[in-house]
Amino acid sequence: MSPISIRTKFHSIEGIEWGNPQGTPILAFHGWLDNANSFAPLAKYLSDYRLISIDFPGHGKSSHKPENTVYYFAEYALEVVSIAQALGLENFILMAHSMGAAVSTLVAGTGLLKIKKLVLIESLGPLTNLSESAPEILTEAIKQILHPRGKKETYFPNMDSAVAVRMRAGDMKAESAEILMERGIEKTPKGLKPRRDLRLHYNSFFRYTEEQIESFCNHIECPTLLILGDKSGFPIAEKYKNRKAAVKNLKEVILPGGHHLHMDSPKEVSSAILEFLENDIKEIE
């Protein structure tokens, strides 16, 4: 395991690298309010690959946005492309969980990167809304940003209390929450403080429509693996049938577990990933 630092046009990006430096690169992105440690449990099972896990801006050890600005969902797609280009990656595997998988769906649909294979865990594109709800969404976002309420920094007296809160918020095993908090917490004179940017809690200014996301899915050209947990609170398996049908080469696997099954059950999840990658290699040969 070794830390990595990348400078994109807009951010100082931090991450972690595991595995074989000469292996096929896997560029990995975590979910909302998580960090690069999200893929630490999978790393030992993917040791033949060069696994590069990244902290999104505002998360983990990566830089936050400048003061008096806010986060836009589409900007994460810009960062994924910028990071891949900064690393000089081509014909690589893109792997992501939750929000990272939602962003990666869009990135793969742009065709801007040479993605060999796409592994999505617990997401296939972002949340959407009907077009007629756009005025309400924008109104609420503006009110929340101009007059924030209840968005005060959190401090914990010790790591156990931080882990307990993370477990309640994320419905995951204690070991998984501890792994995330190892990277997601910093010491301050007031106590332990989450590294994430508070502005990540603001609502989006707008959301895509379902038709737009299906269009991105229709433009994904690489073989795609979608891994879902059978106990997840996100009903992706039943909700997004049109999105799944739009992806030309999609394999769906439902495994025991919740939303963070890649951390709670890394052996089972890695087996599905390796089978997908190895079968694809055999097909090419």
Side-chain angles (χ1 to χ4, degrees):
M1 181 183 79
S2 58
I4 60 171
S5 298
I6 305 160
R7 180 67 203 182
T8 67
K9 188 173 182 179
F10 303 101
H11 286 282
S12 295
I13 300 295
E14 301 295 324
I16 314 167
E17 185 171 332
W18 295 275
N20 179 6
Q22 306 305 318
T24 301
I26 300 177
L27 184 59
F29 292 92
H30 60 79
W32 183 60
L33 301 185
D34 289 348
N35 55 63
N37 270 8
S38 180
F39 295 95
L42 283 177
K44 69 177 181 179
Y45 299 101
L46 302 174
S47 57
D48 288 340
Y49 294 84
R50 180 190 176 197
L51 176 57
I52 307 166
S53 184
I54 298 296
D55 290 329
F56 270 126
H59 297 75
K61 298 183 179 182
S62 289
S63 65
H64 293 188
K65 292 201 71 172
E67 188 177 356
N68 299 322
T69 60
V70 295
Y71 290 85
Y72 298 92
F73 185 84
E75 289 181 347
Y76 288 119
L78 170 64
E79 287 299 325
V80 170
V81 175
S82 298
I83 290 165
Q85 292 180 345
L87 289 167
L89 298 181
E90 289 190 0
N91 202 29
F92 67 98
I93 299 158
L94 180 58
M95 178 170 69
H97 169 249
S98 194
M99 183 189 81
V103 175
S104 295
T105 302
L106 303 188
V107 171
T110 66
L112 289 170
L113 297 174
K114 294 182 179 178
I115 301 171
K116 183 176 183 179
K117 292 172 280 286
L118 179 64
V119 178
L120 304 174
I121 304 171
E122 279 286 291
S123 187
L124 180 61
L127 296 173
T128 57
N129 279 101
L130 298 174
S131 298
E132 53 264 34
S133 66
E136 179 184 352
I137 292 172
L138 180 59
T139 299
E140 290 304 313
I142 291 173
K143 289 165 59 178
Q144 185 183 58
I145 292 168
L146 291 180
H147 307 287
R149 291 179 292 178
K151 295 292 186 292
K152 296 182 179 180
E153 195 54 83
T154 303
Y155 295 92
F156 300 101
N158 52 55
M159 186 60 78
D160 287 344
S161 60
V163 169
V165 170
R166 188 65 186 84
M167 286 177 62
R168 289 198 297 272
D171 187 24
M172 66 181 74
K173 291 182 178 179
E175 309 92 271
S176 300
E178 288 171 4
I179 291 170
L180 287 175
M181 290 297 96
E182 284 173 5
R183 190 172 180 88
I185 289 288
E186 61 181 342
K187 292 182 179 180
T188 76
K190 294 183 179 180
L192 299 177
K193 181 178 79 70
R195 292 183 186 272
R196 57 90 185 95
D197 193 329
L198 270 177
R199 289 170 291 180
L200 295 170
H201 292 277
Y202 291 155
N203 291 345
S204 299
F205 280 117
F206 71 94
R207 286 181 177 173
Y208 295 94
T209 65
E210 194 62 28
E211 292 77 13
Q212 288 173 320
I213 301 306
E214 288 171 17
S215 180
F216 278 101
C217 290
N218 187 53
H219 283 80
I220 296 175
E221 300 294 337
C222 59
T224 302
L225 174 64
L226 176 62
I227 299 177
L228 305 174
D230 65 353
K231 296 178 180 62
S232 172
F234 296 83
I236 299 167
E238 295 299 323
K239 187 174 182 181
Y240 296 130
K241 291 182 178 179
N242 288 343
R243 296 189 191 187
K244 291 186 287 186
V247 180
K248 299 177 183 65
N249 189 354
L250 176 71
K251 178 181 179 181
E252 179 182 355
V253 176
I254 300 178
L255 299 174
H259 188 55
H260 284 79
L261 73 164
H262 66 302
M263 298 191 72
D264 292 340
S265 305
K267 184 176 181 180
E268 292 78 5
V269 172
S270 63
S271 294
I273 293 171
L274 289 171
E275 180 182 358
F276 170 70
L277 299 182
E278 290 167 4
N279 286 344
D280 188 51
I281 290 172
K282 290 177 183 177
E283 289 173 7
I284 292 173
E285 294 174 346

